[in-house]
Amino acid sequence: MTLAIVLAAEPAAGHLTEPPAHPVEPAGRVNGEPLTERLAAQWRRAGADDVRIAADLTELADLVAGATGPVLVSGADLVAHTAVLKHLATSPVGPTVALVLTDPPAAGQATVREERGQVVEVGAADASGVFGGALRVGAADLPALADAARRAGGGGPLGAVDRLVAGLAARGTLIFAHRVRLLVAHRVGDEAQREAAESAVAAVDEDRAELKLSVKERDDFFTTFFVSTWSPYVTKAAARVGIGPTGVTMISVAFAVAAAVLFGTGGRPALVAGAVLLYLGFVLDCVDGQLARYTRHFSAWGGWLDTMADRFKEYVVYAGLGFGATHAGFRYGWALALAAMTLQTVRHMTDTWYGALHDEAARRPKVVTADAGGIGGKLNAASTRVQADTGSVSYWLKRTVVFPIGERWALIAIAAALFGPLVALVAVLVWGTLAFAYTGGLRTLRARWMRVPVLTTVDAGLHRDDGLLARTLPTARRPLLLAVLGALGAAGTLVWALLAVHGGGDLPVWVPVLALVLLLGAAQGSRSPHDGSLDWLVPAALRAAEYLFAIAVGVAGRAPAWLIFGYVLVLTLHHYDLTARLEKRQSAPPLHAATLGWPGRSLLLAIGLIAGYASIALATLGAYLLVVFVASVVLAWVVLPARARGGVRSPG
């Protein structure tokens, strides 16, 4: 249950079922209505199940002590669209979210400093925004809220919410920022300011603004100019006919699968039709997120499904291109598709972990600015300047050169339609490799400057995907060096296997054995501290090591190319499940232990290769992992939530 609390000069806190007998804050009337009553009504329309009035922070602390769900808090000096409060109440970015305005702060109002969507400092002189007098506090942070309220309980309601958010920040609570865009929210101090704010609210079409807000504030070049210019109309239509974000996601998947089939069929008409379907599928991929923001229908399931569907669609398209290139007579079409999928997955792993690194650095601003004169500091400052210069040539170049998903899908569609599947795959690999080198090099320099050991803040064993075998091996230090050696061993084995097969021979047994020894050596770093400035690269290096070794096993064992691709695809789904959970701050999948860990899987494949049954090993282990993945998804999103709601009784 969501509780909303309005801080006002009321004699006692009470349940707001009837208008209060005594007006709250006599000067606080808008169009003859007490502002506190207006805010309380708005909170109800914004989704609050219960609304209370508190005269001071002490009363607020007592109310919070009995709360079981999220708590919404605002002062009686806020004039805003109801949509602003609804967006704050339903924000998916984090459990605790603060409203941030761009207005100059008034006397007594808290200022904030924000980095990467997080409030990293309250009350800073160089603040980039002013606290908006409203926040949502997640259930896990309610004890900190109650403690902050009791310690700052004196002084009456004036400035009380500001003292509250400052107290939460001082306790290390992770607070995300929700900025007001297009809509109106002002903190007012007198009748003239109230009238001006109310006029500003009335001048904005709330629904039209919400539709515009459904589009991401900063997106990539292709998406901004070739999708978001018309996708809101599709979003509006989907909302009117009652299609939800999940339904749009499923239609998008169907379009991508159809495009992949057409790419595999070949022929100019099929390639052009596939390119059109791929573009429309990407439009729908944007629409599902826009629809969720427009209707405020967010869920952990929807976010997880969107992440998994994006990767599945892209890799199915790679499969279609690989089949099409092979069908057209190119011997290594599937090899190019495998390379594209492996490269993109490793890139995504570095993106995820660098994002986690940057978020951790944002919460430690003194560490980040300790060496502002070094090359990392200069790169960080330059990046900040470019990002702030929205719309400039340098801004769009920076966003395009990293090869985001919109540009990838546009390149695939154009190259496939004009030149065919082979050129499309080569183009993706070339641009992807250059983008990986560019981002990897710059991020390495910036990470060395940040010096933030991000893996010490998470479950390293889980996100390394080590499994039981890694936990039984001796512990060795320097996990990044060990992971890189494992990846190099797997890469060398793959090259040797390709040369052996091309020459009509067999891979010597000692080669995969040596590679396996290096892989198990990488597993020994599982329990050592991941506190190096570059240890955020460890998960990506381990993914590269496992994928390359699996491909080498398939090549050496002369397994069908499509089987090798399918096995690696199942691995990517498993690993994207882990990264999606990391981004959403969720626990391990229910059946994670049954996936055997990357060392265990690699050991089984090596045994299969040495025994002469590489194809059977890939097929059997791939099918097993797929069944475990599907079962884990059903448990995580269907069975366990039903039991939590009391819909399913446990046996016995």
Side-chain angles (χ1 to χ4, degrees), residues 252-280:
S252 175
V253 170
F255 274 44
V257 171
V261 171
L262 290 170
F263 289 151
T265 301
R268 189 64 55 195
L271 293 175
V272 172
V276 172
L277 285 178
L278 189 64
Y279 169 66
L280 294 177

Side-chain angles (χ1 to χ4, degrees), residues 99 173 284-285 511 558 571 623 650:
L99 189 66
T173 302
L284 293 176
D285 183 47
V511 176
R558 292 175 171 77
L571 287 183
S650 300

Side-chain angles (χ1 to χ4, degrees), residues 240-304:
R240 284 181 174 175
V241 300
I243 300 177
T246 299
V248 174
T249 300
M250 292 296 98
I251 297 174
S252 175
V253 170
F255 274 44
V257 171
V261 171
L262 290 170
F263 289 151
T265 301
R268 189 64 55 195
L271 293 175
V272 172
V276 172
L277 285 178
L278 189 64
Y279 169 66
L280 294 177
F282 180 66
V283 172
L284 293 176
D285 183 47
C286 297
V287 166
D288 60 5
Q290 293 173 9
L291 185 61
R293 289 185 287 272
Y294 179 58
T295 61
R296 311 309 293 177
H297 289 162
F298 300 111
S299 67
W301 158 253
W304 179 90

Side-chain angles (χ1 to χ4, degrees), residues 368 395 586 626:
V368 175
Y395 173 83
Q586 296 173 341
L626 182 60

